Amino acid sequence: MRYFIWASVIVGPSLFAVSSAGAAPQQLYNKSVTVNWVESTLQKASDGSSRNPQINSTRIIYISSAGRLFVKGTRSINNRNYQGTKNTIRGPDGSSNAGPGGFSFAGNQLIGTAVFDGGARRIAVSFDPGFSSCTANVVYGKSGSANQKWKSLDGTQTFELISVSVGAVGCSIREGNAVAG
């Protein structure tokens, strides 16, 4: 299991930015890259109670035959206190029902960022020279001394994120559009 040490990091507007977003490598055209991981969290609810759900997360990034990126995100919790799933879709123009964040290429890496109230997440996908396999890394960072805040999957509650550890991260590549299916 890979652990993230919750450290204080100053998150500026360019901390996770890709300096010069490059074009998608043609070897990835008409392919889908899937990244999945489990987050073990300690959260504090607005009523002061603590919770520690495990959140299953998946990002599917489809690179079209024109090199445009489409992203489907899924987060789900299935435990005795709460069950729910949230799906988000992001188009190549940046339009989204997912809020801030997105993916772009930088050399042989696909970088995804999301900025939250009090922190951020960075997903870095690295490819082998032939773009036939991938590995991924997911890292959370904290801004200043305040804890990160995020909404429940159904959007009805706000939680303060006390800590998060990211379990083993999986990455795979397949032919076709897995975002649409």
Side-chain angles (χ1 to χ4, degrees):
M1 180 175 281
R2 201 177 278 178
Y3 290 94
F4 171 71
I5 298 172
W6 196 247
S8 181
V9 177
I10 303 300
V11 178
S14 64
L15 176 66
F16 294 122
V18 176
S19 57
S20 56
Q26 287 191 350
Q27 299 94 318
L28 291 175
Y29 281 18
N30 199 33
K31 291 187 180 176
S32 295
V33 176
T34 300
V35 179
N36 52 46
W37 68 96
V38 176
E39 301 163 1
S40 296
T41 65
L42 176 57
Q43 304 173 359
K44 186 166 76 173
S46 57
D47 66 4
S49 64
S50 293
R51 299 174 184 179
N52 57 345
Q54 285 196 330
I55 303 168
N56 300 303
S57 297
T58 301
R59 295 297 175 277
I60 301 171
I61 306 97
Y62 170 63
I63 301 95
S64 75
S65 58
R68 296 166 29 120
L69 304 181
F70 297 82
V71 180
K72 179 179 182 179
T74 302
R75 294 174 58 79
S76 64
I77 298 173
N78 187 9
N79 64 35
R80 66 176 182 233
N81 297 321
Y82 181 81
Q83 294 180 0
T85 299
K86 180 177 181 180
N87 292 306
T88 56
I89 302 285
R90 177 177 297 282
D93 61 355
S95 64
S96 168
N97 66 344
F103 281 86
S104 60
F105 280 93
N108 77 332
Q109 283 197 319
L110 178 60
I111 306 294
T113 60
V115 178
F116 310 104
D117 182 12
R121 177 186 60 234
R122 181 177 190 263
I123 302 170
V125 180
S126 298
F127 299 93
D128 71 328
F131 292 91
S132 60
S133 66
C134 59
T135 58
N137 188 29
V138 178
V139 177
Y140 279 86
K142 185 176 178 181
S143 176
S145 61
N147 285 324
Q148 179 176 323
K149 293 185 176 155
W150 57 14
K151 296 232 181 238
S152 59
L153 295 180
D154 63 7
T156 62
Q157 295 181 16
T158 300
F159 293 95
E160 185 176 354
L161 182 63
I162 307 302
S163 67
V164 62
S165 64
V166 176
V169 180
C171 188
S172 63
I173 303 170
R174 69 166 242 194
E175 292 287 334
N177 184 352
V179 168

